[in-house]
């Protein structure tokens, strides 16, 4: 009887540890499983049938793919030849043409660093140090002024490198501040809790456009005499503060999901509080909020397109300026579609990586 009872208890415990069953639905059930699904399928299919022929004719059949004469695009469909002619300007902006290998190298270095960072086995203090060295190297490469490379001020930067640098730097610099704000808001001490609360709520209560104008106009007035920050630096400061406030609320949600008993157990074992927070609480909190963290990262990537209102020449600004060339017949649709495709590829890659991390955490929890 004892053996049977123990076996039943073990089986029941093992059943609780199993992952939830995966419910698979056929395509017919997915699109026509009920009345609402069938209605949506029919409506969507009808719209696609009505729009698809015109879109295909404009984008493919009647499109101009290559030409040296801009007048060839006047009576045709999409003018993809314009994208080919202005590709370097859209990607690199007003950066000196003879030195555009430098921003191209920056894009390549960032892509390699991101691919290395994707592997969880590479995570650790060495990766953080490596990213710091890489960021400094990329900024130095963009500036130049050494090794025979002419100096290029931030006013001459533009295009995709500015978009990537603003997104990576605002998220990278904002994350440590977000952790401090989240811990401060959950602190038992009154002063850090109030300061964190005021900082988060004030920043989240302001639109990013207003924050960009505040950083662009008021920040130089608040600096001591003789101090100055260029336009790109002021924009980065605004994006960093904005990212820190939103990331702080996401991390705070993760901290609330960690049982308080774990901190109490760590204190009972004599582990200092900062070690228990750093090694026990924060890793679990971040694992719990991977989807909202990813959403915030995607939002910050897209928010970099707003910097054009303060005169920063990002990829969207470069595309908009390229489309005003009077020699071409105003190919705004093609330009914005190309820029949108670039943003989509970046954001889609982030979302797919988030799914990978979620799956990895889920498998780890059920081992």
């Amino acid at each position: 009887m004892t053996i049977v009872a123990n076996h039943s208890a073990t089986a029941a415990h093992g059943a609780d540890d199993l992952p939830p069953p995966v419910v698979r639905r056929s395509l017919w059930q997915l699109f026509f499983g009920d009345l609402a699904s069938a209605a949506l399928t029919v409506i969507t299919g009808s719209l696609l049938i009505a729009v698809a022929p015109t879109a295909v004719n404009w984008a493919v059949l009647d499109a101009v793919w290559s030409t040296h004469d801009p007048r060839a695009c006047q009576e045709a469909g999409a003018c993809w030849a314009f994208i080919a002619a202005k590709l370097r300007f859209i990607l690199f902006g007003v950066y000196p043409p003879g030195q555009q290998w430098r921003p191209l190298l920056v894009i390549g270095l960032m892509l390699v660093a991101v691919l290395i960072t994707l592997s969880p086995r590479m995570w650790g203090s060495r990766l953080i140090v490596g990213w710091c060295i890489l960021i400094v190297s990329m900024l130095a490469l963009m500036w130049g002024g050494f090794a025979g490379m002419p100096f290029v001020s931030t006013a001459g930067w533009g295009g995709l490198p500015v978009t990537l640098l603003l997104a990576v730097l605002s998220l990278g610099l904002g994350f440590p501040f977000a952790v401090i704000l989240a811990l401060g808001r959950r602190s038992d001490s009154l002063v850090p809790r109030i300061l964190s609360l005021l900082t988060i709520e004030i920043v989240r209560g302001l639109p990013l456009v207003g924050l960009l104008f505040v950083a662009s106009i008021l920040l130089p007035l608040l600096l001591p005499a003789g101090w100055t920050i260029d336009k790109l630096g002021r924009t980065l400061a605004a994006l960093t503060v904005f990212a820190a406030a939103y990331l702080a609320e996401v991390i705070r949600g993760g901290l609330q999901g960690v049982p308080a008993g774990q901190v109490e157990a760590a204190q009972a074992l004599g582990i200092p509080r900062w070690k228990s927070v750093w090694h026990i609480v924060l890793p679990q909190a971040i694992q719990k909020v991977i989807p909202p963290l990813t959403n915030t990262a995607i939002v910050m990537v897209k928010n970099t397109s707003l910097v054009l209102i303060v005169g920063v020449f990002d990829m969207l600004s470069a595309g908009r300026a390229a489309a005003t060339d009077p020699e071409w017949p105003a190919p705004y649709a093609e330009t914005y579609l190309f820029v949108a495709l670039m943003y989509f590829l970046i954001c889609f890659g982030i979302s797919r990586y988030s799914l990978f991390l979620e799956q990895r955490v889920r498998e780890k929890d059920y081992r």
Side-chain angles (χ1 to χ4, degrees), residues 234-294:
R234 298 195 295 270
T235 302
L236 177 60
L239 291 174
T240 300
V241 173
F242 188 82
Y246 278 84
L247 288 172
E249 284 298 276
V250 173
I251 296 172
R252 184 174 70 91
L255 293 174
Q256 291 177 336
V258 178
Q262 299 199 19
V263 178
E264 296 173 357
Q267 291 177 344
L269 293 173
I271 300 176
R273 183 173 179 81
W274 72 269
K275 283 189 175 182
S276 64
V277 170
W278 181 257
H279 295 287
I280 299 174
V281 177
L282 276 179
Q284 296 183 72
I286 293 174
Q287 286 184 0
K288 293 178 181 295
V289 293
I290 289 177
L293 281 177
T294 305

Side-chain angles (χ1 to χ4, degrees), residues 39-55:
L40 288 174
T41 300
V42 172
I43 293 173
T44 304
S46 301
L47 291 175
L48 289 176
I49 292 174
V51 173
T54 303

Side-chain angles (χ1 to χ4, degrees), residues 67-71 73 79 81-82 85-86 322-331:
T67 182
H68 296 288
D69 185 8
R71 291 174 296 180
C73 295
C79 187
F82 169 80
K86 298 292 184 179
T324 59
D325 189 341
E327 294 184 1
W328 293 87

Side-chain angles (χ1 to χ4, degrees), residues 289-326:
V289 293
I290 289 177
L293 281 177
T294 305
N295 181 67
T296 305
I298 292 175
V299 168
M300 289 306 302
V301 171
K302 293 188 293 184
N303 280 343
T304 57
S305 62
L306 296 176
V307 301
L308 67 90
I309 64 175
V310 291
V312 176
F313 212 69
D314 70 319
M315 183 169 57
L316 181 59
S317 302
R320 184 178 180 181
T324 59
D325 189 341

Side-chain angles (χ1 to χ4, degrees), residues 98-116:
Q99 299 294 319
Q100 287 181 354
W101 63 270
R102 289 153 58 179
L104 180 61
L105 181 58
V106 167
I107 295 174
L109 289 174
M110 189 169 294
L111 179 61
V112 171
V114 169
L115 292 177
I116 293 175

